[in-house]
Amino acid sequence: MSMHSEHSAVTVLGLGPMGRALAGAFLDAGLRTTVWNRTPGKDEELIERGAVSARSAEEAVTASELTVVCVVNYDASDAILRRDTVTDALKGRTVVNLSADTPDRARDTADWAAGHGIRYLDGAIMTPTTTMGTPASVFIHSGPAELYQEHRPVLEALPGSHTHLGEEIGRAAAYDIALLDIFWTAMAGYAHALAVARAEGISARELAPFAKGIGAILPPLFEETAEEMDRGTFSGEGNPMTSGASTMAHIVHTSEAHGIEAGVMRAAEGMTRRAIGLGHGTEGFIRVAEVLGRQR
Ligand code: NDP
């Protein structure tokens, strides 16, 4: 296969909302894009835009040197990739799994791939489908640096930022887990805040501008406290965690007075009180991150 065709073709397995968005962005970038999905019928719009529809996963992976998998999780990608005919067809080719799952599943998939002569990169997508094909999309990757370099022209045909995080195959999934931890805890907090606000007669629309203000406080705090975490010193000057624990208790009381469960905030208050009990009350809240990992 010539360098030209190697770098101008890609296969996408999985045509959920994200798989379809990825395939569309590859098409827009001018790549010959072959697509396949377990349930047929999801590729009609892509075919109209020029995608090649494969009749089987095996046929799909044979069409390109590089196969990008984007399905719900690694049980789903295993169900596709670990069928004998597909595994055999992948021998000597490269798979990039952009499905979300745990670092352990990424490592397990890399072991399986190595055992079958399949070249393997892992990755994750950190932005919603609406960003695909735009400079706002964010991709992270991990695995052999040489292999990443080899397939960069195809992967980076997708507009957006692409970061190779290192050779350790579980690294992209580890970043993904940590970042989704922030996202889902924040969204759980927002959902809870909307419920408490509504119980107090405040509509979501009324709260939203102020909620955005709270969100804007976070990015500089992430920077500052990251330095504290890596240094191991947690300044509570101006905002000791005892003060934070007190406001957390107010949230618990107010929501429970309205019959609204406060499990997430109870958990946050609990970890803060544990750190205070260990003698860190005058320090900043992010000390909790270090206490969480302690055995006792
Ligand atoms: P889903 O997470 O719902 O995944 C749907 C895809 O998974 C479909 O192609 C579906 O096939 C396939 N699938 C599910 N179970 C199986 C199985 N047992 N065997 C084969 N295929 C299976 O939708 P998305 O496309 O949105 O997400 C894909 C990945 O992208 C996920 O890991 C998600 O976390 C990640 N992601 C998504 C974002 C988003 O905004 N949507 C943002 C960032 C990451 P079928 O049609 O046959 O059911």
Side-chain angles (χ1 to χ4, degrees), residues 13-20 36-40 42 70-73 75-77 79-80 98-101 124-130 132 176 180:
L13 299 180
L15 299 175
M18 186 52 93
R20 288 200 301 274
W36 177 85
N37 190 61
R38 174 185 62 170
T39 307
K42 301 223 174 143
C70 189
V71 288
V72 61
N73 55 31
D75 283 344
S77 59
I80 299 168
L98 294 182
S99 314
D101 214 311
I125 304 167
M126 302 317 311
T127 50
T129 53
T130 46
M132 289 304 117
D176 188 34
L180 289 174

Side-chain angles (χ1 to χ4, degrees), residues 78-208:
D78 282 356
I80 299 168
L81 302 175
R82 300 198 191 197
R83 279 183 29 237
D84 287 347
T85 50
V86 179
T87 305
D88 290 347
L90 280 169
K91 199 170 163 59
R93 298 178 195 273
T94 302
V95 172
V96 180
N97 199 340
L98 294 182
S99 314
D101 214 311
T102 63
D104 277 350
R105 292 300 294 263
R107 290 177 198 120
D108 174 68
T109 305
D111 288 345
W112 165 83
H116 290 86
I118 299 166
R119 306 160 88 210
Y120 185 67
L121 288 165
D122 205 83
I125 304 167
M126 302 317 311
T127 50
T129 53
T130 46
T131 65
M132 289 304 117
T134 80
S137 58
V138 175
F139 301 88
I140 53 179
H141 299 279
S142 51
E146 257 182 53
L147 190 59
Y148 180 74
Q149 287 303 331
E150 189 180 324
H151 293 289
R152 251 177 100 168
V154 171
L155 294 171
E156 298 192 3
L158 296 168
S161 85
H162 296 260
T163 309
H164 181 250
L165 296 166
E167 299 251 342
E168 201 278 295
I169 197 77
R171 214 163 155 80
Y175 271 69
D176 188 34
I177 291 291
L179 296 169
L180 289 174
D181 193 349
I182 301 170
F183 179 76
W184 285 119
T185 313
M187 289 305 283
Y190 187 47
H192 192 262
L194 293 181
V196 175
R198 172 186 273 179
E200 287 285 338
I202 303 164
S203 73
R205 204 171 277 279
E206 286 174 307
L207 191 70

